[in-house]
Amino acid sequence: MSTFRKPWLLLVVMALVVITACSGNNAGKGNAKEGNTAKNEASAAPTEAATGFDLGKYDPPIEISTVLMPKKYIKDETKENNVHDRWMLEQFGLKYKDNWYPAGSDQYKQKLQLAIASGEKLPDFVPVPTDAVLTNQLIDSGQFIAIDELFEKYANQIWKEHTVQNPELWYPFTRDGKKYNLPILEYTDNDNTLLWFREDWMEKLNLKAPTTIAELEVVLDKFKNENPDGLAPKDVYPLAISLKNNTNTWMGSLDWLFGAYGTVEEQWNKDANGNLEYGSINPGAKNALAKLQEWMNKGYIHPDAALWDEGKSAEIWTKGNAGILPGANWVPDWPAPDLLKNVPGSKYKAYPVPAGPDGLMGTKWQNSGVNSSIMINKDAKHPEAIFLYYNFLLDNLANPAVGSKFEYGFAQGYDWDIVDGEPTSNKDKIKDFFNEFPYITGPARIPNLYMQTLVKLAEGKKPETPYEKQLAEFRKPENWYAAKVVMSQKDIRKQNYFTGAATPTMISKWNLLRQSEMETFNKIIYGKLPVDAYDEFVASWKSNGGDQITKEVNEWFKSVTQK
């Protein structure tokens, strides 16, 4: 499953599909000394110059304001009184005042834009979804400070090291050489595309893993015309995809097919000279569209795919009428359980994406390891407080130490408990399991730790650290092996290099260009236009603003990458 797409959808909804990685505390009860707490106890007596950051806790407590999206609460808790907020006060001496509680991501964005226009007071710490336009509107408002000096002074080693290793994560947040947003870290490679096959069909048909598009077509034909469940060909559409909004997306995606012909559509890739080009106008896209037209004609794709969004595209697979679902490593958590429930005896397995006729392969890649960001209000009295909070999460919850109060989870009786005399974080064993804590920053995540750990488990190695043990309990073996497949193809991924705000010509032209792209591509796929209509689309795209946009995109890229 980008966006409060994923920032807010991932923070709010995707707790079902992305593990709340060891976000743990037993409601403040434990005997270990972590992070700033240990630093506090080791420090000399407070001086007038000491701050809450220096001491690890504000005493007396201070008030901060932020934005908290809708959360579930259990045990009669509320947004004003819950296990997280009690812990935050005890651990850091932080308490809330004048928070925003928008009903959803769309309402939040509207409220932000209205507040900017009206001059309404904004919270101290403002979470920002992955939205370049909104980010630039917030920078333009003049209500937020550049964070360069604060980040250098207060950010911990985990945070800093990731930004050094992935400097491109700063691109969307940089204006005139200054950085305005604090990146909130997310797992890398968690949305990379692979193919989920009906493994029971593969076994019954005695088929091997397809390594090329040609071999994949054999599988598609067998699934449709020799269906092992006895389904008539008219009831089987082997490939479950979404054509409604984007074809380069998080479920039912086609990035892998375009990648087999040398491009990834709907994003800005590097060409052979290191310049950025829009993937949908690369000549390889024409070959991918020709193949899709062929597959539509053969009934490998459902004719309603153009009406299906990402979630809907998965339903034909979970209902047993499709054999292949393009998706991420987390499909075993959702929607695969629906397949097992709907189709007794069904099995599924992750397969690598196949190569095209020239041996080319490719998938999308969101590699910067950033989920969303936080901006700091220029009127915030304690701008360092967000660093105290997030540093602690990264240092102590993202990969907890043995014997720490976070070894098993955030709060006993919520995301971990003692069951049959043993501590566990297995959601299937804990009554009223709950892990949707209202963290200001979202759950603490070390970007490369998730996939590294899953690969280790897939290789049969014993989980040793608390994080590894929790992940082994929380994630299914099918998930482990999917991660190994993803990482086995790490060299084929293509990064979207344009992450800036809309360029001047994009503002006036992009919507029409995208509309033309989607209409042309769908008409070609459905056979309403010949494949050669693609050439006319490219010429029109270039002359109607595309060439100028490409120029502006490359100027932006040079501005953020120059030393």
Side-chain angles (χ1 to χ4, degrees):
M1 307 171 232
S2 272
T3 54
F4 244 89
R5 176 184 93 86
K6 303 207 47 151
W8 284 105
L9 288 179
L10 278 175
L11 296 180
V12 178
V13 179
M14 300 293 294
L16 295 173
V17 295
V18 181
I19 182 172
T20 308
C22 302
S23 49
N25 157 336
N26 53 8
K29 298 178 182 178
N31 55 17
K33 300 174 182 178
E34 293 94 3
N36 287 317
T37 301
K39 179 179 174 181
N40 182 13
E41 295 179 1
S43 297
T47 67
E48 288 186 4
T51 67
F53 183 92
D54 299 321
L55 301 175
K57 182 176 182 178
Y58 293 90
D59 188 12
I62 64 169
E63 294 178 332
I64 61 171
S65 58
T66 186
V67 179
L68 294 174
M69 300 297 284
K71 291 287 180 182
K72 298 176 184 176
Y73 296 99
I74 63 172
K75 302 180 187 291
D76 296 322
E77 294 182 341
T78 66
K79 65 184 182 183
E80 292 84 12
N81 181 13
N82 58 76
V83 65
H84 168 272
D85 294 2
R86 294 191 295 271
W87 165 77
M88 186 175 72
L89 178 61
E90 173 62 26
Q91 182 68 53
F92 306 115
L94 297 175
K95 57 184 179 180
Y96 289 132
K97 182 181 180 182
D98 299 329
N99 274 357
W100 283 12
Y101 294 97
S105 57
D106 289 341
Q107 186 205 52
Y108 174 53
K109 181 176 178 179
Q110 293 169 3
K111 184 174 175 64
L112 267 180
Q113 291 171 327
L114 286 172
I116 294 170
S118 66
E120 177 185 348
K121 178 176 172 56
L122 294 167
D124 297 325
F125 307 114
V126 174
V128 185
T130 304
D131 184 322
V133 173
L134 180 59
T135 295
N136 278 271
Q137 288 174 333
L138 292 168
I139 294 174
D140 288 339
S141 75
Q143 295 196 46
F144 299 94
I145 58 174
I147 52 82
D148 302 74
E149 293 182 8
L150 287 169
F151 190 83
E152 181 61 31
K153 182 177 181 180
Y154 293 115
N156 70 357
Q157 185 177 1
I158 293 172
W159 212 353
K160 285 182 178 177
E161 283 184 353
H162 186 70
T163 63
V164 170
Q165 294 166 3
N166 300 274
E168 72 279 359
L169 66 80
W170 291 116
Y171 296 170
F173 313 139
T174 301
R175 173 77 67 81
D176 298 328
K178 295 181 179 180
K179 305 176 182 71
Y180 284 86
N181 300 51
L182 295 173
I184 301 304
L185 303 186
E186 179 56 271
Y187 293 134
T188 50
D189 303 297
N190 196 33
D191 284 328
N192 293 6
T193 304
L194 43 74
L195 302 181
W196 289 96
F197 280 62
R198 280 286 301 275
E199 184 62 8
D200 53 317
W201 289 5
M202 294 291 285
E203 291 174 352
K204 290 175 182 177
L205 291 167
N206 196 29
L207 295 171
K208 65 177 183 178
T211 60
T212 66
I213 293 296
E215 291 176 357
L216 176 65
E217 289 180 297
V218 173
V219 174
L220 293 170
D221 188 71
K222 294 280 188 180
F223 281 1
K224 185 171 183 69
N225 297 306
E226 300 177 28
N227 189 267
D229 281 352
L231 298 174
K234 67 180 180 61
D235 296 323
V236 184
Y237 297 92
L239 182 61
I241 61 170
S242 169
L243 296 173
K244 182 177 181 181
N245 300 314
N246 299 286
T247 59
N248 177 356
T249 185
W250 53 271
M251 181 75 76
S253 180
L254 287 168
D255 56 305
W256 58 276
L257 180 62
F258 283 78
Y261 294 94
T263 188
V264 173
E265 80 284 20
E266 299 176 1
Q267 67 176 45
W268 293 84
N269 309 304
K270 276 188 179 179
D271 65 17
N273 298 317
N275 297 315
L276 302 192
E277 67 165 8
Y278 187 55
S280 297
I281 65 163
N282 179 286
K286 181 178 181 179
N287 296 325
L289 291 171
K291 184 57 64 178
L292 285 167
Q293 186 184 86
E294 179 184 339
W295 288 356
M296 182 66 76
N297 287 337
K298 291 182 177 180
Y300 296 163
I301 299 169
H302 197 286
D304 288 342
L307 305 175
W308 292 347
D309 61 14
E310 292 85 351
K312 185 69 175 178
S313 72
E315 288 185 12
I316 188 174
W317 187 73
T318 60
K319 289 180 178 178
N321 299 97
I324 301 172
L325 175 67
N329 74 91
W330 40 257
V331 161
D333 264 356
W334 180 85
D338 289 339
L339 169 66
L340 302 182
K341 179 176 64 177
N342 295 333
V343 186
S346 59
K347 295 194 294 186
Y348 59 90
K349 182 179 178 181
Y351 282 70
V353 303
D358 296 323
L360 300 174
M361 305 168 74
T363 65
K364 67 179 185 300
W365 185 22
Q366 285 81 33
N367 74 321
S368 63
V370 173
N371 188 331
S372 58
S373 63
I374 287 181
M375 299 182 76
I376 301 176
N377 194 313
K378 62 182 177 59
D379 295 327
K381 294 180 180 179
H382 294 277
E384 78 287 345
I386 192 65
F387 291 89
L388 173 64
Y389 179 95
Y390 192 48
N391 283 349
F392 190 94
L393 264 63
L394 290 174
D395 283 334
N396 300 296
L397 280 76
N399 190 16
V402 174
S404 78
K405 70 178 79 171
F406 308 106
E407 181 173 5
Y408 304 114
F410 179 69
Q412 186 174 357
Y414 294 78
D415 63 337
W416 77 276
D417 213 340
I418 303 296
V419 178
D420 297 328
E422 295 291 334
T424 181
S425 58
N426 189 327
K427 61 182 180 294
D428 297 325
K429 295 180 180 180
I430 299 172
K431 186 178 184 297
D432 299 324
F433 177 86
F434 179 85
N435 65 357
E436 298 180 53
F437 306 107
Y439 301 113
I440 299 173
T441 57
R445 291 169 178 154
I446 297 174
N448 61 0
L449 185 62
Y450 173 68
M451 296 300 277
Q452 286 180 352
T453 302
L454 290 178
V455 170
K456 176 179 179 178
L457 296 172
E459 292 175 343
K461 297 175 183 177
K462 183 179 179 180
E464 298 171 318
T465 69
Y467 177 84
E468 291 171 354
K469 291 176 181 178
Q470 288 189 43
L471 202 59
E473 278 199 300
F474 198 93
R475 290 306 204 187
K476 298 176 175 66
E478 292 90 346
N479 196 166
W480 308 351
Y481 299 118
K484 187 174 181 180
V485 170
V486 167
M487 299 312 290
S488 74
Q489 294 194 311
K490 64 182 181 181
D491 294 335
I492 71 170
R493 304 168 298 191
K494 292 182 182 293
Q495 178 180 348
N496 179 19
Y497 282 94
F498 179 64
T499 55
T503 69
T505 308
M506 275 185 174
I507 292 172
S508 60
K509 301 285 189 178
W510 190 251
N511 286 344
L512 289 175
L513 291 177
R514 274 291 291 152
Q515 181 180 350
S516 173
E517 176 185 344
M518 291 300 295
E519 289 180 355
T520 302
F521 281 23
N522 277 352
K523 286 180 178 179
I524 291 174
I525 293 169
Y526 280 84
K528 295 180 179 179
L529 285 176
V531 175
D532 284 344
Y534 174 82
D535 299 325
E536 298 175 18
F537 155 74
V538 172
S540 175
W541 187 93
K542 288 173 169 287
S543 63
N544 286 303
D547 278 344
Q548 181 61 27
I549 289 172
T550 300
K551 179 176 180 292
E552 292 168 358
V553 163
N554 277 280
E555 288 172 349
W556 168 87
F557 188 60
K558 290 176 182 176
S559 75
V560 296
T561 55
Q562 63 188 5
K563 302 298 183 181

